[in-house]
Amino acid sequence: MPSTILIVDDSRTVRTMVRQALEADHHQVIEATDGVAALAALDMGPADLVITDVNMPEMDGLKLVRALRDRPGYRFTPILVLTTESGDEIKQRGREAGATGWLVKPFNPDQLRKTVEHVSRRRQP
Amino acid sequence: MSPLAGGRLQPAAAPVAPEKEVTIYIGGVHVSPGPAVIKTLLGSCISVCLFDPIRRVGGMNHFMLPRGAGSSGADADATRFGVHAMDCLIGDMMKLGADRRRLVAKFFGGAHVLNMKESAAAVPQQNIAFIREFLKGEGFPILAEDVGGYHPRHVRFYSHTARAMVKRVDGPHARARLLSQEDHRSAQVPSFGDVTLFDQ
């Protein structure tokens, strides 16, 4: 089912690649360059799913995940972390922050789409 | 020079610590928290050197797009791996306090070491086109570039000043070493990152 997906990454190139992958499944994609911009974007309108990088200026991805989990309406929203970081320790920090899943770049667009579909289906209010 | 040169007592020069030297190869990324000289030998590959002039943090990567760039259907995947090489460099620099909004770039490589005529469809030209488009898209100012041609390059990048020295090299030894490295690497099928779903 098409959703509104917020992609948060400081690289315009990466945002474009993610957008292209998700728009193929007719999702509506909105973009933000870091955590602060992401929270501002969500003030303008809700998202059904968030995909965020980790290393970004202003507010990094893990702080964004924590901020979102503190927001009414985002406690159960799927949040996927899409990053070059692959260490177990940082993945565990992502899990503790409240991330739903962790995808290591470079990403396979088909796998990204399947993961988005999977976590969207299992969302529980 | 004597400390008494010129008839006045000169302070002794402080000892200068030797800069650390680091060599990277295809697929490598190095970002240094302190002064370092990052070195690499390039053929058709590209090395990008990024520098944050405020934090004085610099780094270098060394990559080539997988074989198939420029052919239909393979462009997107090939580009994805080039973007990944840049993403790793930028991410490592940010972890050392660099701000991507201040980053400036120098890039080198993309030589036709096989002595084939330069063409837009050839791997070196694909590598050059990719990095130009990427840096432009991301808004990183380009301070210097030295790309194309037919000779391998030795690059030395001073991580704390952004100074880069490029020496074109030739001779059968350097060329053979490069061809072996690059042919092996470009034939490898790159792998995507894995996916972990957390129990909620």
Side-chain angles (χ1 to χ4, degrees):
Chain A
M1 176 188 288
S3 309
T4 299
I5 299 176
L6 171 63
I7 166 71
V8 191
D9 198 301
D10 52 357
S11 165
R12 195 180 89 168
T13 312
V14 172
R15 293 197 307 272
T16 301
M17 291 193 309
V18 175
R19 172 186 284 276
Q20 287 170 347
L22 298 176
E23 285 182 344
D25 284 344
H26 310 291
H27 296 297
Q28 182 187 349
V29 177
I30 49 180
E31 298 181 15
T33 55
D34 58 40
V36 171
L39 294 176
L42 294 176
D43 286 339
M44 306 292 288
D48 303 306
L49 188 147
V50 177
I51 300 173
T52 181
D53 189 12
V54 171
N55 299 311
M56 297 180 290
E58 303 299 340
M59 178 189 281
D60 69 36
L62 297 190
K63 286 181 186 161
L64 172 63
V65 175
R66 284 186 213 101
L68 286 175
R69 291 305 183 212
D70 284 343
R71 279 197 168 197
Y74 285 91
R75 189 170 171 202
F76 300 106
T77 301
I79 305 176
L80 297 173
V81 177
L82 177 61
T83 176
T84 57
E85 303 288 342
S86 59
D88 290 341
E89 191 266 340
I90 194 165
K91 278 187 191 174
Q92 182 59 28
R93 282 169 49 207
R95 179 182 192 156
E96 288 166 3
T100 310
W102 194 279
L103 291 82
V104 178
K105 297 174 183 172
F107 70 94
N108 177 329
D110 291 337
Q111 199 168 36
L112 175 67
R113 286 199 293 267
K114 284 178 187 163
T115 306
V116 164
E117 188 183 331
H118 179 79
V119 297
S120 297
R121 273 205 313 265
R122 79 175 194 183
R123 178 183 178 187
Q124 297 291 322
Chain B
M1 178 185 293
S2 157
L4 293 174
R8 290 190 303 168
L9 184 64
Q10 301 290 316
V16 177
E19 286 154 334
K20 186 173 78 167
E21 295 205 350
V22 178
T23 301
I24 64 170
Y25 303 93
I26 301 178
V29 175
H30 186 79
V31 176
S32 180
V37 182
I38 310 170
K39 305 186 294 183
T40 199
L41 175 63
L42 296 168
S44 58
C45 295
I46 295 285
S47 269
V48 179
C49 306
L50 294 179
F51 184 67
D52 178 339
I54 302 297
R55 290 300 296 259
R56 304 193 79 72
V57 170
M60 177 199 275
N61 64 11
H62 178 157
F63 68 91
M64 72 186 303
L65 303 187
R67 189 173 291 161
S71 62
S72 65
D75 285 20
D77 273 353
T79 300
R80 215 175 302 284
F81 291 99
V83 171
H84 180 64
M86 292 305 301
D87 226 7
C88 289
L89 175 59
I90 296 164
D92 284 356
M93 292 189 64
M94 289 174 67
K95 281 189 265 184
L96 290 184
D99 187 324
R100 69 173 288 134
R101 295 165 293 191
R102 296 192 297 252
L103 296 180
V104 292
K106 298 182 177 183
F107 63 97
F108 310 99
H112 284 66
V113 289
L114 288 174
N115 279 332
M116 293 168 64
K117 189 177 177 186
E118 293 186 37
S119 77
V123 168
Q125 293 304 118
Q126 292 290 334
N127 287 334
I128 295 167
F130 161 75
I131 197 58
R132 283 198 174 125
E133 186 176 340
F134 180 89
L135 293 172
K136 182 180 175 188
E138 297 293 329
F140 295 140
I142 297 169
L143 297 188
E145 64 175 80
D146 182 35
V147 294
Y150 296 91
H151 290 89
R153 292 170 170 87
H154 269 302
V155 180
R156 294 171 63 87
F157 178 66
Y158 294 77
S159 69
H160 53 303
T161 64
R163 182 183 181 205
M165 298 174 69
V166 181
K167 182 181 178 185
R168 295 193 184 202
V169 295
D170 208 352
H173 181 68
R175 195 172 287 270
R177 188 152 56 105
L178 272 174
L179 290 177
S180 159
Q181 276 182 28
E182 295 191 350
D183 195 50
H184 171 70
R185 186 72 183 203
S186 68
Q188 288 180 338
V189 178
S191 58
F192 292 107
D194 59 7
V195 177
T196 306
L197 294 180
F198 303 128
D199 298 327
Q200 296 293 309

